[in-house]
Every structure is written in C-alpha cells, then in structure tokens.
C-alpha cells in the first residue's frame, strides 16, 4: 500500500489490488485519471488526461489562450459550478452578493498513515496505522478565504478507497452551502450499466440494472431515511459482467438520511458519478471559522464479478465499519413475539412463548412493540417509555428477570425517534415533534417524528432508555423507526436555517445511538425501520445488525436477502422463521424452507412455537442444532451468490458460504416453482480448493467424495429438489 506523489503533482494511491490516480491540472483544478485494477507506478501519467489538441467548439476554456483546456471536457475529481463545466457540480456555495461562482484551486496536500475519523458522523476506521494510508488535498478559494479538504484513504487488504469532503470558511462573509456532496469521479465510458438496489416496504433491495445513455440518472431519498426505495448504493457494471466475472465499481454512502447518487454521461462519453447528502431541501449556513463535514463514501473495485465486489464490502465492513463487542461474535438465536402476538399480549402469554422456545434451543427472547405506556395498538403511547403494568405487572424489570430464570437472554424493542399524539409526552411537549408553524403535521402510522436535532429531546430519550437498560436484565435492543419524515421544520433553528433540519436530525440520531451503544457495550443492538427502510452503513457503524424486511415470507426473502448481500454482510441481516400462511403474502411454505432461507443471516424465529405441530417442533430442534454447529460459517464465511432470483424466471435460486480455510462450505438451494419432467439440476460450488477432496453431506449424493475442481467447474447434480413448489435443501461440504 502506497501513496505516490509525482513531481507534476500526480497522486497515485496503490495497493496490491487497485490504483486510484488523479492530478492537479494546469488550472489548479483536480483532474481524475484512473480508478481500477492495480497499475505499476510511473513518474508521469499525463497521457491519461484527455485534453483536446484544438479548441473545443463553443466551450469556455479555463486557461486564457490555451486551446482545448476546457473543464466541460476534462475528467474531474470535485467539480465546481460557474466556470465552464455544465454537468452536475459537487458543490454550490451561495455568497452574500448572490453569486454561486467559486474558484477552489489546489493549494496543498498532506499524506499520513492511518485513517482519520469523521466528527459526529459514522465512518470506517482502522485498528492500527499500518492498515491504511491517507491523502488530504486542500483546495482554496482565495477570494472567499475558504478551503475544501478532500480526504482519500487506501487500505492494505481491500480493493477499497474511502473518500469524504469538508469545507471550512475562514473568511468574513457568511457562506450558504446549497449542495455539498461527498465525492465525485469522472470516468471513461466502458459500456457501463447502472446497478442499484431499489424497492419498497416489503420488497427491499431488489437488484435493478439500467443502461446509461447520454443523460442523467439519479437514485435518491427525500424521506429523511436512506429508504427501502433506493439504498444509498450504486455500481457501474461493465459490459458482460456477472456474479463471477467482469468489472464492477461500487459506491456506498455511509449515511442514513436524505441522499442522492447520480450518474451522468456527457457528450464525450465520460461518466460522472457523485453521491452525498441530497441537495433537495438542504442548505447549510457557514459562518466565519465554521466547517461542514460531508459523509464518507466507500468505493470498491472488482474485475472478477459482483461476488468479489460484495465479498470486499462484507469483509471491509466487518473489519473496518462495524464496532463493539458484537462485531465478530456469532449472534444468538432469538425469538421475537411481534408476528406471534402483535400488541395483544400479557406476561403469561410471553412466558408461554419463551418457555417453549427455550425447550427447543432458542437463546434470546425479544419483546417487541406494545410493552410501554398506553400502547395497545399503533395509535398511542410512543414517547412514554415506561412499562405498561396492565400487561406486565412487574414491568420490564420483572419480566426480564423471569425470562432470565428460564435460561434465556432478554431483549427489548424501542422506537425512540417517534411520538404518538396520544401520549403523555405529546401532552407535555407537542413542540418536540417536527411540524411547520400554523399547519397540521401529517401523520403516518398515527405518529409524528420527534425532532432529534433538539438537545432536550435527546436528553429525554437518553434518560428514559438508559433507566430501563440499567434496571432490567437486557442483552439486546431492537431500535425501530416506523415512518418517513414530513413537515421538516425545527423549533430550535432560525427561519433562514431550516434547510439544516433534516441533516441535524440524522446527526442527532447518531449522537444518541453513539451515547447509548458506548454506555451499554454488552448489549447487542439491531436497527430497524419498518423493516429495511434504513439498512445502510451509517446504521451498521452503531448497530451491527439490521432487520432486513418486515416481509418474512421465505420466497420473498430470497430476493430481499440476495439483493441486500450485494453490499451488506450476512451477519448484519436479521432473518426469522415466521408462521404460515405468511402474514405479508399468505404463502404457505414448509418450516424447512423458511429456516433454509433464514439460516443465511442473524437467525431467529418470529411465531408462537406452541402453535406448530409436533413434527415441526422436532424440525425446529434440528434446525437450531444445525445452526449452532454452523453459525460461525453461516454468519462470517465468504458468501457467494450463485443463481439469482432476479434472472432465472424465479425457478431456482442458490447461494453458499465457504470458510477461510476452504475446508467447509454450506450451500442453500431453493426451487421456487415446480417444473414437470425436469432436467437434472446442476450446481457449481464456488470458492473451494480445486485440489482438495471433499465429502458431501446430502441425501442425493450420500457420502460421495469429489475433488474441489469437479465441484467448482463441473458441479453436482440433484434429483429431488425439482419436485413441489417452494422446496429447498442445504448441502454441507467438508474437506476430507
Ligand atoms: C416494524 C418492525 O419492522 C416490526 O418488526 C415490528 O417491530 C413493528 N415495527 C412494531 O411496531
């Protein structure tokens, strides 16, 4: 890993896998040269700069008298607005005279070992300085006396560059940021397509691909959460690329609020990619000596398919994003009462569910929504964070003790960011909810959003939540958030600063999460937002797992988990076996298939196990035994997507995990719909050692021994999986 600086001010970040090269242009702007597979270092890369030899027709030239030097035709690193580049800029700074024209030019650089933290924002980190190197570039607008600092880090063992940007106002006048993105990159067109993760509630993170023409495509969220509609991730997919081959460039924003990610192809076939806080309804006042830090973006490169890109993200996030005691620990098998009871429970009912769960081998009981205030349905109680003694006579404290006595750990649900108009909290502090003056705020799920940008709100929540955590025996928290933002207006901001409210809210959420996760390091935190409405790296920094979707249907989960795995580690995906007919789709699948899908995640159950048949109980016991024996591999092994639910008419889906030593693998195979007179099913199992001998533990290929190369390149065939809808099997492969 190295950062080279050439005499002509070219910067080359290089490790064994990738190179990232850019330079200071003659105009003082930064020109992008290359991001991709590792290149040998040399003293001059200016050949990569595409400066026209002649005048560019009718295009403003940045340096007087130098024909061809036009920003509109040059690949750039952090483009400005107002001096000749007509594509989307990385930033727009409004000045007191009404101008938005700026000239931030290169002024200095700094290189150092390690990776800096980002103040008040989630960020990737290293445990020692030898794991990364960092380059900081300062651009200065001397008229404004203001700096932009671009930070680039390269890591020892990953095909990953992280970038972020910061602006500082040293001048006398107030500046208003109307847009300040995290990064920009201009690439040479390579017949790329856009790949992103789109969806909705219950259909989160479907893989979507879109051709890129001479136009602009954007993904974004204005919902106040990163959203299930568009995850803050996009990738450029090279022509012909697939899971196992071809080029992918991924970009993932470490942020949980409104964002934008844009792809713009220009008239010279350059592709501009940028990402950051959504400029829509955003502005930020920067007074003298103030600075603004934009969130970090994690850029990843693969030239051996999408699986390699994902594996890099998984292991990078596992090592350099997720923090705390639970980072590398296998997760407990839980039972959650939400789909078992919804709001309709009492202590007796809960203890019945927990007792049966314990009998079958479950390790953690999680009490979901409905345990506090007057919360008997979703119209009331949010904000009143004290036990409902009608349901729980000895409160959460007593229940947690009783659950512990059964031999189970105890977990609890909160939805801290919300307030019900029917609550004690709202009676006392109606002004704590986001709402605009003289207008009725819009309800969603009968609730309003608390203004987490307010210190008094955060203090109240901290006090209430920490009291319960201190007084009860709690080892897990589910932090839910069940509506998108509307009526974004904060009572603690000047009228002219209301464009800051949505971002200040997210900073407030981060602050509170940081406080609670630091103070209670033994607790396993899981974030959630009406299912997977906020499944992003920002949340994973504070909480190592996220509830993937409210949709617990095994067949739907194939798509959701497959898409989520493009970026996020398997250990981070909450995945539960629920009752049938499924509550979201009414589909009936076997308890076996439900578990075979949920095994690839933070595994648990979400039903009343007293209501299943005795055969199913036996099956659950077996499942729990299998999961306990294999959870290290299932949650932390190298994950491969093999057959996609988005590509093969949804008939067959498969994926696998392999351990580091390549001595054990588990394959999940799912036949969605039955096919008459089926051909033999083959499956090729990736990631093994070609020269090792493996034995297969499967009913179709009993005890047969294969070399790794045969399994990887020829594959094994099955018979039984083809019959019946929603069938599945798990195959265990072991090195002899
Ligand atoms: C939405 C979550 O995704 C569910 O799992 C459940 O916790 C409900 N909220 C409770 O209101």
């Amino acid at each position: 890993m190295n950062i080279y600086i050439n005499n002509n001010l070219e910067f080359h970040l290089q490790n064994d896998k990738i190179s990232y090269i850019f330079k200071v242009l003659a105009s003082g702007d930064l020109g992008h040269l290359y991001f991709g597979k590792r290149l040998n270092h040399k003293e001059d890369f200016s050949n990569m700069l595409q400066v026209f030899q002649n005048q560019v027709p009718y295009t403003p030239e940045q340096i007087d008298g130098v024909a061809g030097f036009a920003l509109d035709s040059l690949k750039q690193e952090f483009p400005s607005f107002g001096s000749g580049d007509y594509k989307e800029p990385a930033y727009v700074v409004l000045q007191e005279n009404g101008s938005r024209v700026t000239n931030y030019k290169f002024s200095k650089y700094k290189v150092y070992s390690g990776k800096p933290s980002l103040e008040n924002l989630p960020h990737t980190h290293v445990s020692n300085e030898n794991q990364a190197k960092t380059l900081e570039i300062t651009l200065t607008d001397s008229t404004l006396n203001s700096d932009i600092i671009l930070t680039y880090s390269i890591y020892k063992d990953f095909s990953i560059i992280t970038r972020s940007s910061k602006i500082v106002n040293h001048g006398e006048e107030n500046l208003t940021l109307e847009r300040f993105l995290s990064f920009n990159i201009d690439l040479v067109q390579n017949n790329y397509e856009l790949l992103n993760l789109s969806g909705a509630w219950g259909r989160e993170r479907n893989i979507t691909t879109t051709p890129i023409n001479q136009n602009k495509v954007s993904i974004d969220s204005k919902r106040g959460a990163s959203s299930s509609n568009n995850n803050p991730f996009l990738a450029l997919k090279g022509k012909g690329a697939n899971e196992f081959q071809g080029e992918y460039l991924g970009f993932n924003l470490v942020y949980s609020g409104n964002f934008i990610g844009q792809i713009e192809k220009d008239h010279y076939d350059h592709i501009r990619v940028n990402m950051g806080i959504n400029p829509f309804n955003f502005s930020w006042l920067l007074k003298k000596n103030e600075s603004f830090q934009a969130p970090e973006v994690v850029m990843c490169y693969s030239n051996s398919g999408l699986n390699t890109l994902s594996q890099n993200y998984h292991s990078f996030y596992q090592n350099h994003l997720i923090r705390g005691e639970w980072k590398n620990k296998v997760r407990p098998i839980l039972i959650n009462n939400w789909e078992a009871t919804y709001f309709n429970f009492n202590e007796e009912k809960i203890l019945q569910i927990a007792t049966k769960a314990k009998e079958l081998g479950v390790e953690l009981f999680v009490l979901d929504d409905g345990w506090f205030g007057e919360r008997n349905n979703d119209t009331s109680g949010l904000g009143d964070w004290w036990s409902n003694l009608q349901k729980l006579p000895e409160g959460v404290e007593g229940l947690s003790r009783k659950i512990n006595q059964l031999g189970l750990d105890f977990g609890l649900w909160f939805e801290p960011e919300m307030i019900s108009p029917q609550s004690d909290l709202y009676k006392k502090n109606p002004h704590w909810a986001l709402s605009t003056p003289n207008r009725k705020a819009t309800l969603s799920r009968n609730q309003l959003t608390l203004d987490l940008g307010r210190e008094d709100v955060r203090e109240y929540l901290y006090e209430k939540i920490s009291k319960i955590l201190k007084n009860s025996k709690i080892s897990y928290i589910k932090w839910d958030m069940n509506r998108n933002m509307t009526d974004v207006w904060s009572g603690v901001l000047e009228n002219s600063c209301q464009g800051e409210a949505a971002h200040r809210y997210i900073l407030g959420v981060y602050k509170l999460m940081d406080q609670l996760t630091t103070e209670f390091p033994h607790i396993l935190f899981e974030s959630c937002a009406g299912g997977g409405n906020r499944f992003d790296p920002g949340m994973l920094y504070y909480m190592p797992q996220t509830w993937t979707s409210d949709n617990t249907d095994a067949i739907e989960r194939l798509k959701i988990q497959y898409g989520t795995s493009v970026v996020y580690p398997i250990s981070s995906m909450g995945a539960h076996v629920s009752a049938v007919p499924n509550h979201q789709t009414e589909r009936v699948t076997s308890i076996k298939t439900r578990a075979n899908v949920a095994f690839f995640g933070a595994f648990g159950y979400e039903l009343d196990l007293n209501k299943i048949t005795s055969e199913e109980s036996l099956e659950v016991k077996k499942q729990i035994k299998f999961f306990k024996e294999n959870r290290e591999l299932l949650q932390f092994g190298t994950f491969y997507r093999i057959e996609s639910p988005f590509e093969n008419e949804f008939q067959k889906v498969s994926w696998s995990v392999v351990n580091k030593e390549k001595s054990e693998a588990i394959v999940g195979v799912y036949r969605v719909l039955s096919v008459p007179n089926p051909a033999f099913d083959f499956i090729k199992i990736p990631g093994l050692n070609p020269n090792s001998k493996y034995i297969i533990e499967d009913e179709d290929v009993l005890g047969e021994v294969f070399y790794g190369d045969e399994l990887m390149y020829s594959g094994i065939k099955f018979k039984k999986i083809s019959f019946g809808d929603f069938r599945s099997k798990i195959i265990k492969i072991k090195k002899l």
Side-chain angles (χ1 to χ4, degrees):
M1 168 185 66
N2 215 331
I3 297 179
Y4 297 97
I5 295 114
N6 288 344
N7 290 337
N8 58 359
L9 284 178
E10 286 170 355
F11 301 92
H12 181 186
L13 293 83
Q14 181 209 53
N15 66 16
D16 291 348
K17 296 176 174 165
I18 52 164
S19 282
Y20 189 104
I21 311 172
F22 65 100
K23 74 175 290 156
V24 179
L25 302 173
S27 58
D29 298 281
L30 297 180
H32 180 77
L33 299 183
Y34 178 81
F35 174 41
K37 195 169 165 53
R38 178 191 199 271
L39 300 181
N40 286 314
H41 181 67
K42 61 176 194 174
E43 290 305 317
D44 187 356
F45 285 109
S46 24
N47 182 48
M48 290 177 175
L49 190 67
Q50 297 176 333
V51 181
F52 284 70
Q53 297 302 313
N54 307 311
Q55 208 166 30
V56 192
Y58 299 103
T59 303
E61 281 158 352
Q62 182 67 14
I63 310 177
D64 298 343
V66 181
F69 198 95
L71 289 181
D72 203 37
S73 64
L74 282 164
K75 292 182 292 150
Q76 293 179 73
E77 278 294 290
F78 208 63
S80 63
F81 166 79
S83 46
D85 181 338
Y86 295 103
K87 296 189 286 288
E88 289 288 329
Y91 56 95
V92 176
V93 180
L94 175 64
Q95 298 137 61
E96 286 179 359
N97 65 4
S99 167
R100 292 173 174 83
V101 178
T102 48
N103 293 101
Y104 286 88
K105 304 288 182 184
F106 174 80
S107 61
K108 60 182 178 200
Y109 71 86
K110 193 162 102 185
V111 175
Y112 50 89
S113 296
K115 155 76 176 57
S117 28
L118 268 65
E119 220 179 312
N120 306 324
L121 281 169
H123 54 268
T124 58
H125 46 80
V126 289
S127 51
N128 72 61
E129 295 211 326
N130 301 326
Q131 291 175 337
K133 274 203 162 144
T134 296
L135 166 67
E136 272 180 27
I137 301 280
T138 303
L139 308 171
T140 303
D141 185 314
S142 49
T143 311
L144 297 177
N145 194 7
S146 161
D147 291 336
I148 289 177
I149 299 149
L150 304 179
T151 305
Y152 299 75
S153 299
I154 183 157
Y155 302 78
K156 207 163 150 231
D157 303 314
F158 297 91
S159 305
I160 279 182
I161 301 278
T162 53
R163 281 185 61 178
S164 65
S165 58
K166 178 177 173 172
I167 181 165
V168 191
N169 182 9
H170 301 292
E172 295 304 322
E173 70 170 290
N174 287 343
L175 304 177
T176 303
L177 305 181
E178 293 185 328
R179 170 190 188 93
F180 194 69
L181 300 184
S182 296
F183 93 108
N184 179 92
I185 192 169
D186 287 359
L187 300 156
V188 185
Q189 162 63 322
N190 198 10
N191 285 319
Y192 289 124
E193 285 182 321
L194 163 66
L195 180 148
N196 68 297
L197 303 174
S198 58
W201 174 86
R203 293 189 268 113
E204 293 91 343
R205 290 170 298 286
N206 282 214
I207 299 177
T208 310
T209 45
T210 316
I212 301 172
N213 297 311
Q214 188 185 326
N215 55 22
K216 198 167 57 197
V217 190
S218 67
I219 54 163
D220 83 339
S221 167
K222 303 182 191 75
R223 294 166 186 266
S226 49
S227 92
S228 38
N229 304 66
N230 275 310
N231 196 259
F233 168 78
L234 59 85
L236 295 177
K237 174 185 178 203
K239 197 174 164 61
N242 60 31
E243 289 290 2
F244 294 96
Q245 62 189 36
E247 201 178 27
Y248 285 89
L249 285 80
F251 307 92
N252 194 199
L253 191 68
V254 187
Y255 190 60
S256 312
N258 296 334
F259 77 94
I260 191 162
Q262 293 180 118
I263 306 267
E264 185 174 7
K265 180 165 158 186
D266 75 5
H267 44 295
Y268 295 117
D269 284 349
H270 294 149
I271 295 210
R272 172 163 292 178
V273 184
N274 54 35
M275 225 175 190
I277 293 176
N278 199 332
F280 184 86
N281 201 23
F282 166 85
S283 66
W284 196 276
L285 178 66
L286 214 56
K287 296 188 186 150
K288 187 176 176 168
N289 290 331
E290 286 183 349
S291 62
F292 180 83
Q293 173 68 60
E296 189 166 274
V297 73
V298 180
M299 308 168 53
C300 184
Y301 176 79
S302 161
N303 70 339
S304 47
L306 190 58
N307 271 317
T308 307
L309 189 97
S310 304
Q311 288 159 6
N312 254 280
Y313 272 117
H314 294 181
S315 121
F316 185 68
Y317 285 169
Q318 201 60 59
N319 288 290
H320 296 296
L321 175 73
I322 294 170
R323 306 176 301 164
E325 287 184 16
W326 284 94
K327 173 176 161 157
N328 296 317
K329 261 203 226 166
V330 291
R331 309 294 154 74
I333 300 171
L334 64 78
I335 181 136
N336 177 305
N337 74 305
W338 177 242
E339 286 199 15
T341 64
Y342 296 104
F343 296 101
N344 186 16
F345 62 83
N346 56 23
E347 192 184 81
E348 194 190 339
K349 175 91 201 142
I350 292 300
L351 289 172
Q352 275 168 12
I353 295 175
T355 307
K356 177 71 190 222
K358 170 68 191 168
E359 209 179 289
L360 299 182
V362 168
E363 297 159 320
L364 163 71
F365 176 86
V366 178
L367 181 62
D368 211 279
D369 196 353
W371 57 267
F372 52 92
E374 292 297 310
R375 184 76 167 168
N376 297 315
N377 51 46
D378 66 14
T379 62
S380 60
L382 290 169
D384 296 348
W385 297 113
W386 48 84
S387 300
N388 178 322
L389 297 179
Q390 263 139 21
K391 289 184 188 174
L392 307 176
E394 293 181 59
V396 164
E397 219 181 310
L399 178 66
S400 68
R401 208 180 45 243
K402 290 174 196 170
I403 295 280
N404 279 187
Q405 279 160 5
L406 290 177
L408 288 168
D409 286 336
F410 179 74
L412 191 61
W413 178 99
F414 281 97
E415 193 177 359
E417 298 160 63
M418 296 294 151
I419 181 165
S420 306
Q422 274 190 61
S423 65
D424 274 17
L425 184 65
Y426 192 79
K427 269 180 218 138
K428 286 188 198 124
N429 295 297
H431 57 293
W432 279 9
L434 286 178
S435 62
T436 52
N438 310 318
R439 292 181 200 278
K440 192 178 167 305
T442 317
L443 291 172
S444 175
R445 207 197 190 204
N446 308 303
Q447 64 198 52
L448 297 172
T449 309
L450 279 172
D451 180 3
L452 268 275
R454 294 178 68 118
E455 206 174 332
D456 45 6
V457 168
R458 292 196 304 270
E459 273 169 10
Y460 169 82
L461 292 171
Y462 173 76
E463 198 261 310
K464 286 282 173 278
I465 297 172
S466 60
K467 188 170 165 200
I468 293 171
L469 300 191
K470 276 177 197 149
N471 293 342
S472 310
K473 298 186 177 314
I474 292 182
S475 62
Y476 163 105
I477 291 294
K478 177 173 172 188
W479 180 303
D480 206 347
M481 194 287 278
N482 282 311
R483 64 159 292 175
N484 287 314
M485 269 186 207
T486 56
D487 309 278
V488 181
W489 195 92
S490 169
V492 291
L493 292 174
E494 298 286 325
N495 290 349
S496 59
C497 292
Q498 290 299 329
E500 300 178 11
H503 180 54
R504 286 195 185 276
Y505 173 96
I506 294 292
L507 293 177
V509 171
Y510 289 154
K511 203 169 186 171
L512 186 60
M513 286 186 169
D514 200 43
Q515 214 179 354
L516 287 164
T517 52
T518 312
E519 182 158 344
F520 299 95
H522 307 317
I523 292 182
L524 169 61
F525 283 84
E526 174 161 336
S527 76
C528 170
N533 194 41
R534 214 165 53 176
F535 202 133
D536 60 60
M539 284 293 129
L540 289 182
Y541 176 75
Y542 300 99
M543 306 188 172
Q545 58 190 58
T546 301
W547 180 226
T548 313
S549 175
D550 273 346
N551 191 342
T552 54
D553 173 69
I555 300 308
E556 288 293 308
R557 274 294 185 123
L558 287 173
K559 283 198 221 164
I560 297 168
Q561 291 174 211
Y562 200 96
T564 306
S565 78
V566 169
V567 192
Y568 304 105
I570 303 310
S571 61
S572 70
M573 290 187 222
H576 300 171
V577 172
S578 60
V580 289
N582 177 268
H583 294 192
Q584 292 78 37
T585 60
E586 299 203 349
R587 186 179 279 126
V588 177
T589 54
S590 67
I591 195 125
K592 182 173 166 192
T593 287
R594 280 173 269 159
N596 286 351
V597 177
F599 282 150
F600 294 81
F603 180 66
Y605 292 84
E606 189 159 333
L607 73 171
D608 186 347
L609 291 169
N610 293 297
K611 293 190 176 156
I612 60 175
T613 63
S614 50
E615 291 80 42
E616 285 174 328
S617 280
L618 282 178
E619 181 63 31
V620 168
K621 239 185 178 160
K622 262 174 42 194
Q623 291 167 356
I624 291 178
K625 185 170 173 283
F626 169 81
F627 191 75
K628 284 178 180 167
E629 283 163 8
N630 293 290
R631 68 178 137 187
E632 179 82 43
L633 171 57
L634 286 162
Q635 293 185 335
F636 295 104
T638 305
F639 185 75
Y640 286 90
R641 290 176 301 272
I642 305 174
E643 292 165 292
S644 167
F646 301 104
E647 277 167 19
N648 70 80
E649 292 173 7
F650 211 28
Q651 303 290 309
K652 185 157 154 248
V653 179
S654 56
W655 53 39
S656 67
V657 282
V658 185
N659 68 358
K660 253 203 198 89
E661 299 74 32
K662 301 184 180 207
S663 59
E664 285 194 11
I666 294 176
V667 188
V669 188
Y670 312 89
R671 166 63 68 184
V672 175
L673 295 177
S674 179
V675 186
N677 189 18
F680 275 114
D681 269 341
F682 278 85
I683 184 168
K684 295 180 183 176
I685 299 162
L688 304 175
N689 184 344
N691 302 319
S692 300
K693 279 184 176 168
Y694 293 91
I695 185 157
I696 310 259
E697 289 177 8
D698 172 78
E699 57 216 18
D700 283 356
V701 251
L702 270 184
E704 265 188 72
V705 175
F706 297 86
Y707 275 110
D709 54 2
E710 186 181 342
L711 294 175
M712 290 198 289
Y713 311 129
S714 170
I716 43 169
K717 64 172 194 275
F718 310 105
K719 292 164 231 159
K720 294 193 182 140
I721 182 94
S722 301
F723 298 104
D725 292 346
F726 318 135
R727 293 294 175 95
S728 65
K729 67 160 66 196
I730 293 287
I731 304 154
K732 179 102 194 261
I733 297 167
K734 269 190 185 161
K735 194 173 149 183
L736 275 183

